[in-house]
Amino acid sequence: MITTHGRHAHECTLSRTPLGHMTQSISSVRGASGHSHNPFVIMPRHDTREECGDCYGFTFIYSGNYLISADNDYFASTRVTVGINPEGFEWTLAPGEVFASPEAVMMFSENGIGGVSRSFHRLFRKNLVRGKWRDIRRPLLINSWEAAYFGFDDDKLAAFAEKAATLGIEMLVMDDGWFGKRNDSSSSLGDWYVNENKLKGGLSSLIKRVNAAGLKFGIWYEPEMVSPDSDLYRAHPEWTLRVPGRTSSLSRHQLVLDMSNRDVVEYLKTSFEKTFGGVPIDYIKWDMNRHLSEVGSDFLPPERQKEVPHRYMLGVYELLSWFRSRFPDIIIETCSGGGGRYDLGMMRYGEQIWTSDLTLPAARTVIQYGSTLAYPAATMSCHVSHPGDDPDEIDYRWAVAIHGMLGYEMNILTVDEAVKARIPHEIEQYREYEHLIKDGELYRLKNPPENGCAAYYYTNGDSSEILLSFIQTEDSVKNVSYRLKISRAERGAVYIDRRSGER
């Protein structure tokens, strides 16, 4: 049984465990699929390898509490169950009512673990992910977070946009801090109106300046949360998840809105419309920086409180579905402290997901490699973060980040000129390879947790192009040579190394 385990900023590390005569499972009761185990399992036979042997894969099109279990009985027959976690879950059906359970996906391949992965990738790229940006080139962005955190105004963002345009970057994303009186993480979630002390003239004025520089515009949003220090909470404390007699837990100075309450969902639709309805926004980052606790609702009777976690997810899906239909041309990237809700439920609504809050290249290599067991690179948002003053370091970060939808997170106004000079060349190279990464077939060769390095390649349909990557994650392997077997290379064909020109 192959699973991926982890925690915040260290998601999706591979784990392969023999399936004994017992029940083995992965699960979440966090109200989201969670950082601890991604909701999929791969089940190869004992002698199955990456490219040969029988293999099954199971995953869940859902973003809430789940349970995936495998029971190996005394006849060595294995039963796999995928569904909503029964812990703390009940649902009351009146006569004539219907309950629609989330869907699961089962995949089989006789071509090993890689065969299952590639089948998953094709299925999800073409039959699950939606929106106009699914099949076309997405704009390459720079996010303001690691450049400015909360400390920005319209002049600084306009300067970012002007500099970004000279480097070949195509979109500026304004992250947390643009609304209410938000200058740190302690206030204003829920007050989704522009802070005009920061953005003088409002959102439309800033977007005009960004567009004038030649860039598209994106914005960060965390609709499922509320700060106790906010106008929304002061008006409606009953709109939060809470349990009578218990103290509501704060995490990151915030509480969770009761998305099972229709009034909350309608309020958020109205907020979206007021803030985004009349301005040309091209991208939204939909964040969720804490999971659920004190899971109770003031708007359901006591006997239906165990319905709250699932009703919460139905409310989130309704809001996402409304947003998708109301703003069909906007790219949606979802996030939950990075990979805390990286699942197929979210992929039904957004083209990509922020893979992890950790962008350090060695660790990111492990996270991205594990994610590819089930998810295509086209769904992974991967950024080059600040490399310091070493130009070689930005090349390393870029070599990792290109194995997804590339972006940047750094202060391009202050970064070293030698580092800055590498960015246009990196973008040019990425655009050359992007069609293989986004739509090609992935073949894994070396697993980083086991080898101290990662090796994998993408190929197009007729194998006329192959993009091979070797990423070293540990110093101990730098003097080791590897012979990498490229099974999709056509026998007798001559391939040209585009970097060196060698055949």
Side-chain angles (χ1 to χ4, degrees), residues 203-252:
L203 201 53
S204 59
S205 175
L206 171 63
I207 295 174
K208 285 179 182 177
R209 296 177 70 180
V210 172
N211 292 164
L215 268 66
K216 295 180 181 296
F217 181 80
I219 195 168
W220 177 96
Y221 190 60
E222 193 174 8
E224 300 161 61
M225 302 295 149
V226 65
S227 304
D229 182 8
S230 66
D231 294 340
L232 176 62
Y233 183 76
R234 284 184 282 270
H236 292 288
E238 76 281 5
W239 279 7
T240 60
L241 291 178
R242 59 185 190 175
V243 175
R246 296 185 183 178
T247 300
S248 294
S249 303
L250 284 177
S251 177
R252 203 175 180 255

Short mmCIF file of all heavy atoms in Angstrom, two decimals, residues 203-252:
data_model
loop_
_atom_site.label_atom_id
_atom_site.label_comp_id
_atom_site.label_asym_id
_atom_site.label_seq_id
_atom_site.Cartn_x
_atom_site.Cartn_y
_atom_site.Cartn_z
N LEU A 203 -9.64 49.42 -6.06
CA LEU A 203 -9.12 48.29 -6.82
C LEU A 203 -9.01 48.61 -8.31
O LEU A 203 -8.03 48.26 -8.98
CB LEU A 203 -10.03 47.08 -6.60
CG LEU A 203 -9.47 45.69 -6.88
CD1 LEU A 203 -8.19 45.45 -6.13
CD2 LEU A 203 -10.52 44.64 -6.50
N SER A 204 -10.01 49.28 -8.85
CA SER A 204 -10.01 49.57 -10.28
C SER A 204 -8.84 50.47 -10.68
O SER A 204 -8.24 50.29 -11.75
CB SER A 204 -11.33 50.21 -10.72
OG SER A 204 -11.56 51.41 -10.00
N SER A 205 -8.49 51.42 -9.81
CA SER A 205 -7.35 52.31 -10.11
C SER A 205 -6.05 51.52 -10.16
O SER A 205 -5.22 51.71 -11.06
CB SER A 205 -7.27 53.41 -9.05
OG SER A 205 -6.13 54.21 -9.24
N LEU A 206 -5.86 50.61 -9.18
CA LEU A 206 -4.64 49.80 -9.17
C LEU A 206 -4.58 48.91 -10.41
O LEU A 206 -3.52 48.80 -11.06
CB LEU A 206 -4.58 48.93 -7.92
CG LEU A 206 -3.47 47.88 -7.88
CD1 LEU A 206 -2.10 48.55 -7.90
CD2 LEU A 206 -3.62 46.97 -6.67
N ILE A 207 -5.70 48.28 -10.76
CA ILE A 207 -5.70 47.37 -11.90
C ILE A 207 -5.37 48.12 -13.19
O ILE A 207 -4.64 47.60 -14.05
CB ILE A 207 -7.04 46.63 -12.00
CG1 ILE A 207 -7.22 45.72 -10.79
CG2 ILE A 207 -7.12 45.81 -13.29
CD1 ILE A 207 -8.57 45.04 -10.71
N LYS A 208 -5.86 49.33 -13.33
CA LYS A 208 -5.52 50.14 -14.51
C LYS A 208 -4.02 50.36 -14.61
O LYS A 208 -3.43 50.28 -15.69
CB LYS A 208 -6.26 51.47 -14.47
CG LYS A 208 -7.74 51.38 -14.78
CD LYS A 208 -8.40 52.76 -14.69
CE LYS A 208 -9.90 52.66 -14.96
NZ LYS A 208 -10.58 53.98 -14.80
N ARG A 209 -3.37 50.62 -13.47
CA ARG A 209 -1.92 50.84 -13.48
C ARG A 209 -1.18 49.56 -13.82
O ARG A 209 -0.19 49.57 -14.56
CB ARG A 209 -1.48 51.39 -12.12
CG ARG A 209 -2.05 52.75 -11.80
CD ARG A 209 -1.65 53.22 -10.42
NE ARG A 209 -0.22 53.56 -10.34
CZ ARG A 209 0.37 54.00 -9.23
NH1 ARG A 209 -0.33 54.14 -8.11
NH2 ARG A 209 1.65 54.28 -9.24
N VAL A 210 -1.64 48.44 -13.28
CA VAL A 210 -1.01 47.15 -13.58
C VAL A 210 -1.20 46.79 -15.05
O VAL A 210 -0.26 46.37 -15.73
CB VAL A 210 -1.58 46.05 -12.66
CG1 VAL A 210 -1.07 44.68 -13.08
CG2 VAL A 210 -1.19 46.33 -11.20
N ASN A 211 -2.42 46.94 -15.55
CA ASN A 211 -2.69 46.66 -16.96
C ASN A 211 -1.89 47.58 -17.87
O ASN A 211 -1.43 47.16 -18.94
CB ASN A 211 -4.18 46.81 -17.26
CG ASN A 211 -5.05 45.74 -16.62
OD1 ASN A 211 -6.27 45.90 -16.52
ND2 ASN A 211 -4.45 44.65 -16.16
N ALA A 212 -1.72 48.85 -17.46
CA ALA A 212 -0.95 49.79 -18.27
C ALA A 212 0.50 49.36 -18.41
O ALA A 212 1.17 49.67 -19.41
CB ALA A 212 -1.03 51.19 -17.68
N ALA A 213 1.00 48.64 -17.41
CA ALA A 213 2.37 48.10 -17.48
C ALA A 213 2.45 46.87 -18.37
O ALA A 213 3.55 46.36 -18.63
CB ALA A 213 2.87 47.77 -16.08
N GLY A 214 1.29 46.36 -18.81
CA GLY A 214 1.26 45.20 -19.70
C GLY A 214 0.97 43.89 -19.00
O GLY A 214 1.11 42.83 -19.61
N LEU A 215 0.57 43.94 -17.72
CA LEU A 215 0.34 42.72 -16.95
C LEU A 215 -1.14 42.51 -16.66
O LEU A 215 -1.91 43.47 -16.55
CB LEU A 215 1.09 42.78 -15.61
CG LEU A 215 2.50 42.18 -15.60
CD1 LEU A 215 3.43 43.00 -16.48
CD2 LEU A 215 3.04 42.13 -14.16
N LYS A 216 -1.52 41.24 -16.53
CA LYS A 216 -2.82 40.88 -15.99
C LYS A 216 -2.77 41.03 -14.48
O LYS A 216 -1.71 41.21 -13.89
CB LYS A 216 -3.18 39.44 -16.39
CG LYS A 216 -3.36 39.23 -17.89
CD LYS A 216 -3.72 37.79 -18.19
CE LYS A 216 -3.87 37.55 -19.68
NZ LYS A 216 -4.98 38.32 -20.26
N PHE A 217 -3.96 40.91 -13.84
CA PHE A 217 -4.03 41.17 -12.39
C PHE A 217 -4.75 40.03 -11.69
O PHE A 217 -5.80 39.56 -12.14
CB PHE A 217 -4.77 42.47 -12.13
CG PHE A 217 -4.87 42.82 -10.66
CD1 PHE A 217 -3.79 43.40 -10.00
CD2 PHE A 217 -6.02 42.54 -9.95
CE1 PHE A 217 -3.88 43.71 -8.66
CE2 PHE A 217 -6.11 42.84 -8.59
CZ PHE A 217 -5.03 43.43 -7.94
N GLY A 218 -4.17 39.59 -10.56
CA GLY A 218 -4.79 38.58 -9.72
C GLY A 218 -4.85 39.04 -8.28
O GLY A 218 -4.15 39.97 -7.87
N ILE A 219 -5.67 38.35 -7.48
CA ILE A 219 -5.90 38.79 -6.09
C ILE A 219 -6.11 37.58 -5.19
O ILE A 219 -6.59 36.53 -5.62
CB ILE A 219 -7.14 39.72 -6.05
CG1 ILE A 219 -7.23 40.49 -4.73
CG2 ILE A 219 -8.42 38.96 -6.32
CD1 ILE A 219 -8.25 41.62 -4.76
N TRP A 220 -5.71 37.73 -3.93
CA TRP A 220 -5.85 36.70 -2.89
C TRP A 220 -7.15 36.90 -2.12
O TRP A 220 -7.59 38.02 -1.89
CB TRP A 220 -4.65 36.80 -1.95
CG TRP A 220 -4.64 35.87 -0.78
CD1 TRP A 220 -4.01 34.67 -0.69
CD2 TRP A 220 -5.24 36.10 0.52
NE1 TRP A 220 -4.18 34.12 0.57
CE2 TRP A 220 -4.94 34.99 1.32
CE3 TRP A 220 -6.00 37.13 1.07
CZ2 TRP A 220 -5.37 34.88 2.65
CZ3 TRP A 220 -6.44 37.02 2.37
CH2 TRP A 220 -6.11 35.90 3.15
N TYR A 221 -7.73 35.79 -1.65
CA TYR A 221 -9.03 35.85 -0.97
C TYR A 221 -9.14 34.64 -0.07
O TYR A 221 -8.70 33.53 -0.44
CB TYR A 221 -10.12 35.84 -2.05
CG TYR A 221 -11.52 36.13 -1.62
CD1 TYR A 221 -11.87 37.33 -1.03
CD2 TYR A 221 -12.53 35.20 -1.86
CE1 TYR A 221 -13.19 37.61 -0.68
CE2 TYR A 221 -13.86 35.47 -1.51
CZ TYR A 221 -14.18 36.68 -0.92
OH TYR A 221 -15.48 36.95 -0.58
N GLU A 222 -9.69 34.80 1.13
CA GLU A 222 -9.88 33.68 2.06
C GLU A 222 -11.31 33.70 2.59
O GLU A 222 -11.56 34.04 3.74
CB GLU A 222 -8.87 33.74 3.21
CG GLU A 222 -8.81 32.46 4.00
CD GLU A 222 -7.72 32.45 5.07
OE1 GLU A 222 -7.09 33.50 5.31
OE2 GLU A 222 -7.51 31.38 5.68
N PRO A 223 -12.27 33.32 1.75
CA PRO A 223 -13.67 33.57 2.08
C PRO A 223 -14.25 32.74 3.22
O PRO A 223 -15.26 33.14 3.81
CB PRO A 223 -14.39 33.25 0.77
CG PRO A 223 -13.49 32.29 0.07
CD PRO A 223 -12.10 32.71 0.43
N GLU A 224 -13.65 31.60 3.54
CA GLU A 224 -14.25 30.72 4.54
C GLU A 224 -13.91 31.10 5.97
O GLU A 224 -14.37 30.45 6.91
CB GLU A 224 -13.80 29.27 4.29
CG GLU A 224 -14.20 28.75 2.93
CD GLU A 224 -13.39 27.53 2.51
OE1 GLU A 224 -13.46 26.51 3.22
OE2 GLU A 224 -12.66 27.61 1.49
N MET A 225 -13.12 32.15 6.15
CA MET A 225 -12.61 32.52 7.47
C MET A 225 -13.12 33.89 7.90
O MET A 225 -13.53 34.72 7.08
CB MET A 225 -11.08 32.53 7.45
CG MET A 225 -10.48 31.19 7.05
SD MET A 225 -10.85 29.89 8.24
CE MET A 225 -10.91 28.45 7.16
N VAL A 226 -13.03 34.15 9.22
CA VAL A 226 -13.40 35.45 9.76
C VAL A 226 -12.49 35.77 10.95
O VAL A 226 -12.10 34.87 11.71
CB VAL A 226 -14.88 35.47 10.19
CG1 VAL A 226 -15.15 34.50 11.35
CG2 VAL A 226 -15.34 36.88 10.54
N SER A 227 -12.11 37.03 11.07
CA SER A 227 -11.34 37.48 12.22
C SER A 227 -12.30 37.96 13.31
O SER A 227 -13.27 38.67 13.01
CB SER A 227 -10.43 38.66 11.83
OG SER A 227 -9.58 38.33 10.76
N PRO A 228 -12.05 37.63 14.59
CA PRO A 228 -12.87 38.22 15.65
C PRO A 228 -12.84 39.75 15.62
O PRO A 228 -13.83 40.39 15.95
CB PRO A 228 -12.22 37.66 16.93
CG PRO A 228 -11.62 36.37 16.50
CD PRO A 228 -11.13 36.60 15.11
N ASP A 229 -11.70 40.32 15.20
CA ASP A 229 -11.61 41.76 15.01
C ASP A 229 -12.00 42.09 13.57
O ASP A 229 -11.17 42.32 12.70
CB ASP A 229 -10.19 42.25 15.29
CG ASP A 229 -10.05 43.76 15.16
OD1 ASP A 229 -11.08 44.44 15.00
OD2 ASP A 229 -8.91 44.26 15.19
N SER A 230 -13.32 42.06 13.33
CA SER A 230 -13.84 42.39 11.99
C SER A 230 -15.27 42.88 12.14
O SER A 230 -15.98 42.52 13.10
CB SER A 230 -13.82 41.16 11.07
OG SER A 230 -14.73 40.17 11.53
N ASP A 231 -15.70 43.67 11.19
CA ASP A 231 -17.09 44.14 11.20
C ASP A 231 -18.05 42.97 11.05
O ASP A 231 -19.12 42.95 11.67
CB ASP A 231 -17.31 45.14 10.05
CG ASP A 231 -16.51 46.41 10.23
OD1 ASP A 231 -16.09 46.70 11.38
OD2 ASP A 231 -16.30 47.12 9.23
N LEU A 232 -17.67 41.97 10.24
CA LEU A 232 -18.56 40.83 10.02
C LEU A 232 -18.78 40.06 11.32
O LEU A 232 -19.93 39.72 11.66
CB LEU A 232 -17.98 39.91 8.95
CG LEU A 232 -18.78 38.62 8.71
CD1 LEU A 232 -20.19 38.94 8.21
CD2 LEU A 232 -18.07 37.70 7.73
N TYR A 233 -17.70 39.79 12.06
CA TYR A 233 -17.86 39.00 13.28
C TYR A 233 -18.64 39.78 14.34
O TYR A 233 -19.48 39.20 15.05
CB TYR A 233 -16.50 38.60 13.84
CG TYR A 233 -16.61 37.73 15.07
CD1 TYR A 233 -16.94 36.39 14.96
CD2 TYR A 233 -16.41 38.26 16.35
CE1 TYR A 233 -17.08 35.58 16.09
CE2 TYR A 233 -16.54 37.47 17.48
CZ TYR A 233 -16.88 36.12 17.34
OH TYR A 233 -17.02 35.34 18.45
N ARG A 234 -18.39 41.09 14.43
CA ARG A 234 -19.13 41.88 15.42
C ARG A 234 -20.62 41.89 15.10
O ARG A 234 -21.46 41.92 16.01
CB ARG A 234 -18.57 43.30 15.46
CG ARG A 234 -17.24 43.38 16.21
CD ARG A 234 -16.74 44.82 16.34
NE ARG A 234 -16.14 45.30 15.10
CZ ARG A 234 -14.86 45.16 14.80
NH1 ARG A 234 -14.05 44.55 15.65
NH2 ARG A 234 -14.39 45.63 13.66
N ALA A 235 -20.96 41.82 13.82
CA ALA A 235 -22.37 41.81 13.43
C ALA A 235 -22.98 40.41 13.53
O ALA A 235 -24.16 40.27 13.86
CB ALA A 235 -22.52 42.33 12.00
N HIS A 236 -22.18 39.37 13.28
CA HIS A 236 -22.73 38.01 13.21
C HIS A 236 -21.79 36.99 13.84
O HIS A 236 -21.26 36.10 13.16
CB HIS A 236 -22.99 37.62 11.75
CG HIS A 236 -24.10 38.38 11.09
ND1 HIS A 236 -25.42 38.17 11.40
CD2 HIS A 236 -24.06 39.37 10.15
CE1 HIS A 236 -26.18 38.98 10.67
NE2 HIS A 236 -25.37 39.72 9.91
N PRO A 237 -21.58 37.03 15.15
CA PRO A 237 -20.75 35.98 15.77
C PRO A 237 -21.36 34.59 15.62
O PRO A 237 -20.65 33.58 15.63
CB PRO A 237 -20.69 36.41 17.24
CG PRO A 237 -21.88 37.30 17.43
CD PRO A 237 -22.09 38.00 16.13
N GLU A 238 -22.67 34.53 15.43
CA GLU A 238 -23.35 33.24 15.27
C GLU A 238 -23.08 32.60 13.91
O GLU A 238 -23.46 31.43 13.69
CB GLU A 238 -24.87 33.42 15.46
CG GLU A 238 -25.63 34.04 14.30
CD GLU A 238 -25.49 35.57 14.21
OE1 GLU A 238 -24.72 36.16 14.99
OE2 GLU A 238 -26.18 36.17 13.34
N TRP A 239 -22.42 33.31 13.03
CA TRP A 239 -22.09 32.76 11.72
C TRP A 239 -20.81 31.92 11.73
O TRP A 239 -20.39 31.42 10.68
CB TRP A 239 -21.93 33.88 10.70
CG TRP A 239 -23.25 34.39 10.16
CD1 TRP A 239 -24.50 34.05 10.58
CD2 TRP A 239 -23.43 35.32 9.09
NE1 TRP A 239 -25.45 34.71 9.85
CE2 TRP A 239 -24.82 35.50 8.91
CE3 TRP A 239 -22.56 36.02 8.26
CZ2 TRP A 239 -25.35 36.34 7.95
CZ3 TRP A 239 -23.09 36.86 7.30
CH2 TRP A 239 -24.47 37.03 7.14
N THR A 240 -20.20 31.72 12.87
CA THR A 240 -18.99 30.90 12.95
C THR A 240 -19.34 29.49 13.40
O THR A 240 -20.38 29.25 14.04
CB THR A 240 -17.97 31.50 13.93
OG1 THR A 240 -18.57 31.58 15.23
CG2 THR A 240 -17.52 32.87 13.47
N LEU A 241 -18.47 28.55 13.06
CA LEU A 241 -18.59 27.21 13.64
C LEU A 241 -18.33 27.31 15.14
O LEU A 241 -17.30 27.86 15.56
CB LEU A 241 -17.59 26.25 13.00
CG LEU A 241 -17.81 25.88 11.54
CD1 LEU A 241 -16.68 24.97 11.06
CD2 LEU A 241 -19.16 25.23 11.30
N ARG A 242 -19.22 26.78 15.96
CA ARG A 242 -19.03 26.84 17.41
C ARG A 242 -19.95 25.83 18.09
O ARG A 242 -20.95 25.39 17.53
CB ARG A 242 -19.30 28.25 17.94
CG ARG A 242 -20.68 28.80 17.66
CD ARG A 242 -20.78 30.25 18.12
NE ARG A 242 -22.15 30.74 18.09
CZ ARG A 242 -22.50 31.94 18.52
NH1 ARG A 242 -21.59 32.76 19.04
NH2 ARG A 242 -23.77 32.33 18.46
N VAL A 243 -19.56 25.45 19.31
CA VAL A 243 -20.30 24.47 20.09
C VAL A 243 -20.65 25.11 21.44
O VAL A 243 -19.75 25.63 22.12
CB VAL A 243 -19.47 23.18 20.30
CG1 VAL A 243 -20.20 22.22 21.23
CG2 VAL A 243 -19.17 22.51 18.97
N PRO A 244 -21.91 25.09 21.85
CA PRO A 244 -22.28 25.70 23.13
C PRO A 244 -21.48 25.11 24.29
O PRO A 244 -21.27 23.90 24.37
CB PRO A 244 -23.77 25.35 23.25
CG PRO A 244 -24.23 25.15 21.85
CD PRO A 244 -23.07 24.55 21.12
N GLY A 245 -20.97 25.97 25.15
CA GLY A 245 -20.23 25.54 26.31
C GLY A 245 -18.75 25.32 26.07
O GLY A 245 -18.01 25.00 27.01
N ARG A 246 -18.30 25.47 24.84
CA ARG A 246 -16.88 25.31 24.52
C ARG A 246 -16.30 26.63 24.02
O ARG A 246 -16.97 27.40 23.34
CB ARG A 246 -16.66 24.24 23.46
CG ARG A 246 -17.07 22.84 23.90
CD ARG A 246 -16.70 21.82 22.84
NE ARG A 246 -17.14 20.48 23.21
CZ ARG A 246 -16.98 19.40 22.43
NH1 ARG A 246 -16.40 19.53 21.25
NH2 ARG A 246 -17.39 18.22 22.84
N THR A 247 -15.04 26.85 24.37
CA THR A 247 -14.35 28.02 23.87
C THR A 247 -13.93 27.79 22.43
O THR A 247 -13.36 26.75 22.10
CB THR A 247 -13.10 28.31 24.72
OG1 THR A 247 -13.50 28.53 26.07
CG2 THR A 247 -12.36 29.55 24.21
N SER A 248 -14.22 28.74 21.58
CA SER A 248 -13.84 28.62 20.17
C SER A 248 -12.34 28.83 20.03
O SER A 248 -11.80 29.83 20.52
CB SER A 248 -14.60 29.63 19.32
OG SER A 248 -15.98 29.34 19.31
N SER A 249 -11.67 27.91 19.38
CA SER A 249 -10.21 27.96 19.24
C SER A 249 -9.83 28.92 18.12
O SER A 249 -10.41 28.89 17.02
CB SER A 249 -9.65 26.57 18.91
OG SER A 249 -10.02 25.64 19.89
N LEU A 250 -8.84 29.76 18.40
CA LEU A 250 -8.27 30.62 17.38
C LEU A 250 -7.05 29.95 16.77
O LEU A 250 -6.25 29.34 17.47
CB LEU A 250 -7.85 31.97 17.97
CG LEU A 250 -8.95 32.98 18.28
CD1 LEU A 250 -8.33 34.21 18.93
CD2 LEU A 250 -9.71 33.38 17.02
N SER A 251 -6.91 30.08 15.48
CA SER A 251 -5.70 29.66 14.79
C SER A 251 -5.40 30.74 13.76
O SER A 251 -6.28 31.13 12.99
CB SER A 251 -5.89 28.30 14.11
OG SER A 251 -4.73 27.93 13.39
N ARG A 252 -4.17 31.23 13.77
CA ARG A 252 -3.79 32.38 12.93
C ARG A 252 -4.73 33.56 13.16
O ARG A 252 -5.11 34.28 12.24
CB ARG A 252 -3.75 31.99 11.45
CG ARG A 252 -2.88 32.89 10.57
CD ARG A 252 -2.79 32.36 9.16
NE ARG A 252 -1.96 33.20 8.30
CZ ARG A 252 -2.44 34.04 7.37
NH1 ARG A 252 -3.74 34.15 7.18
NH2 ARG A 252 -1.62 34.75 6.63
#
